[in-house]
Amino acid sequence: MMMTTKRANFLTVTMIAASISIPNSAMAQSTYNWTQLDNLLSLGSGAPTQPSGGGLIITHKGQVVYRKAFGDWTASQLDDAIPVYSVSKPISVLVALAANEDSSVSWNIYNYVDQYIPVIDQYHFEYQNITVRQTLSHISGMEADTPDTQACLIDDATTLSACVDEISQDALKSNPGQNFRYTGSAMQMMGLALENALGQSWHQSVDDYLSTPCDIAASDFSYFGNDNPWIAGGVIMDIDAGGEIAEVMRTGQCTDSIGQPQTVISQAALTAMRTDQMDGATIMYSPYYDLRRYGYGLFRNDGLGANLGLRNLDFYSHAGAGGSYPWYDVAREYSAFLLLDEPALAVPDGIPPGYLKGEILVQFILPGIEAQIDANN
């Protein structure tokens, strides 16, 4: 797929800056040495526990300093939009928080969901006690995704309203706020609540609050599902869209079609995304076993063995089932996006599922990336 003019120009300027003498902070571009990273990506691809190939983009202080395919991927594949599964969660949170700061609409994440979906408790009255923010932090009390609910989430033949109606027929597993259960079903409910609050489709809200201000083309970034968008897992995007959105997660800002800065969410909203939003809930189901905590749409690096045993409270991330993985470091002022297309489920012979391959690869290459970032800070 073709890159937008803005992206093509941005990358061209970045690559030129690496080879000529230019003033100010951009001069640091010439001192990055990614030889070790290239070698590690080459060594890491193809092994049973590693992806066969993929792409990586790194942005430091607003400049793209690395963008390459590795393994059996070609450079042209970086421009192909592919599913990134649960990487959708923090992206959907960005939309929900951007709407939360829009004074022209009636939307507040501290409100109860039934304010926006009055019939949500028609099967089980406990649903009336769920707030929007609890759907963003997986403490709604809803069950982790089952084959039945998963079928609804990815059913493009139904509607968002019908899917949420089906989901809400299942009783809650615990009282809202009591337990953490990583689930897409609650975010599907949040998506319908936002549609009802704003009187427009989820796709239109994504366009209003993210795609248009950040000049991201629909060919590079979209959600699967027309009338039933998959809120927690349906994003399809290429590496440049992933890199731009990772920067939005880090800074709350992006640039529009004429290069002007645009604020997607405020610094206060960024802080909320990074802050533990689990309200002391007991972890009943999480893709991680180290008890790391969750903000709004992002995992904190505060688990028992996070980041190879080193806690870094400036590091935030969220893996996707196919291995795609955005992360950023607040103190180091950089973000990165790993784009992979590995099997989402575990396969025979002990080969891990895609998300674990992405996690393993990131931990493998992270020290070298941080060394180069530190050398240029």
Side-chain angles (χ1 to χ4, degrees), residues 84-259:
V84 294
Y85 301 103
S86 283
V87 174
S88 309
K89 291 179 174 67
I91 299 174
S92 294
V93 166
L94 287 174
V95 176
L97 294 183
N100 192 63
E101 297 185 306
D102 184 350
S103 60
S104 69
V105 301
S106 179
W107 170 253
N108 190 319
I109 63 170
Y110 282 88
N111 285 342
Y112 290 100
V113 171
D114 69 351
Q115 180 169 329
Y116 307 110
I117 314 175
V119 297
I120 195 65
D121 60 352
Q122 63 179 315
Y123 302 110
H124 302 281
F125 73 90
E126 295 91 350
Y127 275 78
Q128 67 184 326
N129 298 321
I130 300 173
T131 64
V132 174
R133 66 171 292 273
Q134 289 172 332
T135 70
L136 303 179
S137 53
H138 302 290
I139 58 172
S140 66
M142 298 175 70
E143 174 63 284
D145 293 333
T146 65
D148 288 341
T149 59
Q150 188 76 12
C152 165
L153 301 183
I154 62 176
D155 184 0
D156 194 29
T158 189
T159 65
L160 186 55
S161 178
C163 181
V164 171
D165 180 82
E166 181 179 328
I167 290 169
S168 66
Q169 294 179 37
D170 293 333
L172 298 183
K173 295 294 290 185
S174 60
N175 292 327
Q178 183 178 6
N179 297 139
F180 177 90
R181 289 185 176 86
Y182 183 78
T183 175
S185 298
M187 294 197 74
Q188 200 76 356
M189 187 167 65
M190 180 278 292
L192 178 62
L194 186 67
E195 283 198 347
N196 292 345
L198 274 59
Q200 63 183 25
S201 72
W202 172 261
H203 297 291
Q204 186 60 55
S205 293
V206 172
D207 189 56
D208 290 347
Y209 293 115
L210 187 59
S211 300
T212 295
C214 298
D215 189 34
I216 305 176
S219 58
D220 301 329
F221 164 68
S222 62
Y223 276 79
F224 168 82
N226 293 315
D227 296 326
N228 182 36
W230 186 9
I231 309 299
V235 167
I236 302 167
M237 64 183 177
D238 67 8
I239 199 162
D240 295 308
E244 289 186 58
I245 293 173
E247 270 293 275
V248 176
M249 293 178 196
R250 183 180 75 87
T251 67
Q253 296 186 322
C254 60
T255 56
D256 63 16
S257 59
I258 58 173

Side-chain angles (χ1 to χ4, degrees), residues 1-5 7-8 67 76 79-80 217 219-220 238 240:
M1 295 183 184
M2 296 296 293
M3 288 186 287
T4 63
T5 301
R7 271 189 225 144
R67 181 186 184 272
S76 64
D79 298 326
D80 292 338
S219 58
D220 301 329
D238 67 8
D240 295 308

Side-chain angles (χ1 to χ4, degrees), residues 1 3 7 11 15 34 55-58 64-69 75-80 238-240:
M1 295 183 184
M3 288 186 287
R7 271 189 225 144
L11 290 170
M15 289 186 285
W34 298 115
L56 177 65
I57 187 168
I58 302 171
V64 175
V65 296
Y66 188 91
R67 181 186 184 272
K68 286 187 179 181
S76 64
Q77 286 177 271
L78 299 178
D79 298 326
D80 292 338
D238 67 8
I239 199 162
D240 295 308

Side-chain angles (χ1 to χ4, degrees), residues 252-299:
Q253 296 186 322
C254 60
T255 56
D256 63 16
S257 59
I258 58 173
Q260 295 299 307
Q262 297 292 324
T263 297
V264 177
I265 60 173
S266 68
Q267 288 297 312
L270 280 178
T271 298
M273 286 187 74
R274 299 166 183 162
T275 302
D276 181 352
Q277 298 292 349
M278 292 170 58
D279 298 346
T282 301
I283 298 175
M284 301 302 292
Y285 171 71
S286 171
Y288 295 99
Y289 299 103
D290 60 5
L291 303 181
R292 67 182 66 185
R293 311 299 286 180
Y294 199 81
Y296 290 143
L298 291 170
F299 280 101

